[in-house]
Amino acid sequence: MTYQEEDLFFRYNYKMSKFFALIPAAGSGSRMENKLPKQYLPLAGRPMIYHALRTLCRSPGIVSVFVVLAPDDSEWLRHDWSEFSGKLVVFNYGGVTRSMSILNGLKAAPDASSIVDSDWVLVHDAARPCLSEALLNKLMNELADDAVGGLLAVPLADTLKRSDVSNRVEHTESRKGLWQAQTPQMFRYKLLVDALSRPSSIAMTDDASAVEELGLHPKLVLSDARNLKITYPQDMILAELILRAQLEGYGEYD
Ligand code: C5P
């Protein structure tokens, strides 16, 4: 199966498309040096995943938010999620990789919602708790009429060094045209299922890579470093500061 960007324009009725979100939350977060999976670590008084869920569920444009948990998750039910009950759909179908968790959730979605092939799915990591309403709206607005879809991203700010085996600088890489990919990543339901169903996508660390493998060119939507990904324990301190500023109304931006 091949995809041509021009074909995609004719395949979908853009005006009718709905928006859904999916949070893969079946990872163990081994780099966080904590027994509790990363998505449940306490952050600004809540489990980490709460913050992304809140932003996505509060968006009037998003119909449902799917959360994909590990089959043996024992933490989710310890918390009260009732404030999201109108939009939240939970699946215990996590896979061994991020992309498998997402694909399992996508395949379960039609039985649990009104999603159809041409609807948009915004895939967002539980480990990016500081997604702001402004960035979410920007992504949805900039891509709503796009043939392919795309992702939030930031142009690389630091100078890049290529190292040799003994951690000495071999040379300096050009950072021209390089961006750091973030989430949400927003693609149409059918396109995402097709892309993630290919065996080569199993170990991919983002959804855009799988779409690129189809020969398509996802759009980069300018984001902000505050939409950071929590990977190491020290990231929690920064995320907490950003979240507190957002809650106090200082964190929103154009
Ligand atoms: O481990 P990493 O930070 O790359 O995970 C990104 C996101 O993918 C997290 O929200 C994590 O819970 C999720 N994930 C998953 N299933 C896996 C591995 C990661 O849902 N098997």
Side-chain angles (χ1 to χ4, degrees), residues 185-227:
Q185 303 202 348
M186 177 173 146
F187 298 101
R188 292 184 186 275
Y189 176 80
K190 174 78 164 58
L191 179 67
L192 205 48
V193 170
D194 286 348
L196 293 174
S197 297
R198 290 159 59 100
S200 58
S201 73
I202 286 176
M204 284 177 182
T205 51
D206 79 344
D207 316 293
S209 311
V211 171
E212 292 155 35
E213 289 270 294
L214 297 175
L216 297 171
H217 300 279
K219 186 168 181 192
L220 296 162
V221 175
L222 183 64
S223 183
D224 186 294
R226 281 171 284 191
N227 182 27

Side-chain angles (χ1 to χ4, degrees), residues 24-27 31 38-39 95-98 101 125-127 229:
R31 286 169 292 185
K38 174 163 69 172
Q39 54 272 22
V96 289
T97 65
R98 177 185 182 276
S101 296
D125 287 337
K229 181 172 171 201

Side-chain angles (χ1 to χ4, degrees), residues 13-252:
N13 182 344
Y14 289 95
K15 301 285 172 251
M16 301 292 285
S17 298
K18 304 186 293 299
F19 294 88
F20 292 81
L22 186 149
I23 303 183
S28 59
S30 49
R31 286 169 292 185
M32 289 299 288
E33 301 159 15
N34 201 302
K35 270 212 203 93
L36 196 62
K38 174 163 69 172
Q39 54 272 22
Y40 295 118
L41 291 178
L43 181 67
R46 305 279 189 168
M48 188 188 300
I49 191 174
Y50 169 91
H51 302 286
L53 257 179
R54 179 174 182 268
T55 305
L56 293 168
C57 286
R58 282 162 65 110
S59 168
I62 294 179
V63 177
S64 299
V65 180
F66 310 114
V67 174
V68 184
L69 304 176
D72 61 351
D73 185 294
S74 57
E75 190 61 27
W76 176 262
L77 290 175
R78 287 184 214 271
H79 305 276
D80 177 12
W81 305 104
S82 55
E83 76 175 273
F84 306 129
S85 57
K87 291 202 179 176
L88 189 58
V89 181
V90 180
F91 301 125
N92 278 82
Y93 301 149
V96 289
T97 65
R98 177 185 182 276
S99 66
M100 288 168 83
S101 296
I102 294 167
L103 184 59
N104 291 349
L106 291 173
K107 285 183 173 167
D111 286 338
S113 69
S114 61
I115 198 164
V116 295
D117 284 358
S118 56
D119 286 334
W120 290 110
V121 182
L122 289 96
V123 179
H124 184 63
D125 287 337
R128 286 191 194 272
C130 306
L131 172 68
S132 69
E133 190 189 326
L135 278 179
L136 177 62
N137 290 340
K138 183 179 182 190
L139 180 76
M140 290 163 72
N141 289 336
E142 283 199 22
L143 296 180
D145 292 330
D146 199 86
V148 178
L151 60 147
L152 288 179
V154 263
L156 221 66
D158 294 327
T159 302
L160 282 183
K161 302 293 184 192
R162 172 77 57 189
S163 71
D164 63 15
V165 283
S166 51
N167 281 357
R168 289 198 166 270
V169 176
E170 206 167 77
H171 61 262
T172 299
E173 299 275 0
S174 167
R175 67 176 177 221
K176 195 162 175 277
L178 290 184
W179 295 60
Q180 287 180 297
Q182 298 183 341
T183 67
Q185 303 202 348
M186 177 173 146
F187 298 101
R188 292 184 186 275
Y189 176 80
K190 174 78 164 58
L191 179 67
L192 205 48
V193 170
D194 286 348
L196 293 174
S197 297
R198 290 159 59 100
S200 58
S201 73
I202 286 176
M204 284 177 182
T205 51
D206 79 344
D207 316 293
S209 311
V211 171
E212 292 155 35
E213 289 270 294
L214 297 175
L216 297 171
H217 300 279
K219 186 168 181 192
L220 296 162
V221 175
L222 183 64
S223 183
D224 186 294
R226 281 171 284 191
N227 182 27
L228 82 171
K229 181 172 171 201
I230 305 225
T231 307
Y232 302 107
Q234 59 270 29
D235 300 331
M236 297 286 277
I237 301 161
L238 196 52
E240 179 118 13
L241 287 171
I242 295 167
L243 281 170
R244 294 222 179 270
Q246 279 177 354
L247 290 172
E248 285 162 24
Y250 301 119
E252 292 300 334

